[in-house]
Amino acid sequence: MRRYQIHIILAFTVLCLFACIFLVLGYIPARASLLYGPPASPLSISDRIEYSARLLWHGDALTTPLDPNGLDQPFRIEQSESVSSVTIRLADSGIISNAEYLYDYLVYTGYDTTLQAGEYSLSPALSIIDIANELQDSTPEDITFVILAGWRMEEIAASLPTSGLDISPEAFLSAAQTPPQVLALASPVTMEGFFFPDSYLLPRTTSVDQFLEAVARNFTQHITADLQAGFSAHGLNVNQAVILASIVERESIQNAEMPLIAGVFINRLNIGMTLGSDPTIQYALGYDPLGQTWWTNPLSAENLKFDSPYNTYIYTGLPPTPISNPSMDALRAVAFPENSAYYYFQAKCDGSGYHTFAVTFDEHLANGCQ
């Protein structure tokens, strides 16, 4: 009888053991897979069981945000930063409730091997699982697009393919031929000259028309009443002032000289003298495939004879449109030029970027480099 009881106990024990094995090897991983997706293939069987059990133990904590009303905050993952360091900092920053919970989920899914270094905008209104998904892509929703002073439209177009905006150079240049209505104060022929140099924070989904509108509005916001009054004092409307400022921008290396250079050009305009500006010819010549630049330098004697309304050695007055996109310094220089008796200037011979100025042509020749 006693032997029979022992057999019963052994059989029950074996049955319980098999039940436990089934629970561990079958139910727990299956349940975790159902709730959280399949485990990462590199995980061993024992790791799959362990992390499946961990996730089931964490329960709703994985899907419940720490603060449903939480605000976005910046978070940066450094190159080669460990997963545990990232999860601990997220918890310390108040973005997630528990570093261990996120770590376990990352390991279970294999996301621990695909974390992307970079800048993120994360919120405690996201669950731990949501945060894990966000950490797989550091690409921000917004991009910063920079327009440099002195660029012409083609140079802006060339920077678009690597900007993060889905705007082709061709679409940009075509759309820029029709300025937005917001630029009515200047009535420009094209957008050339009205791409105010600045850093623009834009959604990646920005269309070409939205882009032009944002840039045009930024320009108009910078053309204040005192600037317009300054332009008018020298007989210039906004469009003419931008044309002149675009030339001053390309002629100047040292911003401190811009008001004096603007004054020289205004002196020339006032007596009907040609502006004689190299950058206007460079603009007319267009792209130089040999130099791989839009600004051919140096100009040859033949270049100076190039027949174009932009050649200010041949034609008096202002060219038809701006030749570049001028900075605020250049615009202010045109509005408030430095008064002088100068009609000429040329680069100093010391490579400093500064110029020598002259009243007469003979003085101008004497200032030439020997």
Side-chain angles (χ1 to χ4, degrees), residues 123-162:
S123 166
L126 297 173
S127 70
I128 285 176
I129 291 178
D130 291 334
I131 293 290
N133 291 325
E134 289 287 327
L135 297 180
Q136 302 306 300
D137 183 8
S138 64
T139 302
E141 293 183 0
D142 295 333
I143 64 97
T144 300
F145 186 82
V146 178
I147 297 176
L148 297 182
W151 269 1
R152 57 190 286 165
M153 287 198 302
E154 290 86 354
E155 290 174 292
I156 299 173
S159 71
L160 284 168
T162 57

Side-chain angles (χ1 to χ4, degrees), residues 143 145 160-168 202-206 211:
I143 64 97
F145 186 82
L160 284 168
T162 57
S163 69
L165 293 173
D166 187 20
I167 301 174
S168 71
L202 302 166
R204 288 181 174 272
T205 56
T206 299
F211 174 52

Side-chain angles (χ1 to χ4, degrees), residues 10 35 40 86 106 126 216 223 233 328 344:
L10 286 174
L35 294 175
V86 171
L106 291 171
L126 297 173
I223 303 303
M328 177 55 72
Y344 303 90

Side-chain angles (χ1 to χ4, degrees), residues 65-96:
L66 178 61
D67 180 5
N69 299 314
L71 301 176
D72 287 350
Q73 55 182 285
F75 186 83
R76 177 176 177 80
I77 295 181
E78 302 294 340
Q79 290 287 347
S80 303
E81 185 175 5
S82 69
V83 177
S84 59
S85 169
V86 171
T87 58
I88 290 171
R89 288 198 301 111
L90 284 166
D92 291 344
S93 299
I95 295 174
I96 61 172

Side-chain angles (χ1 to χ4, degrees), residues 175-317:
Q177 300 306 310
T178 306
Q181 182 60 35
V182 70
L183 289 177
L185 82 164
S187 300
V189 177
T190 74
M191 280 284 287
E192 187 76 276
F194 297 87
F195 289 94
F196 190 81
D198 207 345
S199 295
Y200 294 84
L201 185 64
L202 302 166
R204 288 181 174 272
T205 56
T206 299
S207 69
V208 64
D209 289 336
Q210 290 170 331
F211 174 52
L212 298 183
E213 182 76 17
V215 173
R217 287 193 179 281
N218 192 29
F219 174 87
T220 59
Q221 289 168 4
H222 282 85
I223 303 303
T224 58
D226 67 320
L227 275 183
Q228 293 187 56
F231 299 154
S232 296
H234 301 287
L236 302 170
N237 59 33
V238 173
N239 188 52
Q240 292 168 329
V242 173
I243 293 173
L244 184 54
S246 73
I247 299 173
V248 171
E249 183 69 53
R250 293 301 311 181
E251 287 280 8
S252 305
I253 295 177
Q254 303 292 346
N255 284 11
E257 284 191 339
M258 284 184 173
L260 189 52
I261 290 175
V264 171
F265 284 135
I266 289 174
N267 286 346
R268 287 186 163 215
L269 288 173
N270 287 340
I271 64 170
M273 183 178 176
T274 59
L275 295 181
S277 171
D278 287 0
T280 62
I281 299 176
Q282 292 171 325
Y283 185 82
L285 290 173
Y287 188 72
D288 174 14
L290 294 179
Q292 296 185 332
T293 176
W294 285 97
W295 306 95
T296 301
N297 188 42
L299 292 173
S300 67
E302 276 306 305
N303 292 151
L304 298 181
K305 300 174 185 177
F306 184 68
D307 190 7
S308 165
Y310 288 92
N311 187 338
T312 55
Y313 279 86
I314 298 175
Y315 296 97
T316 59

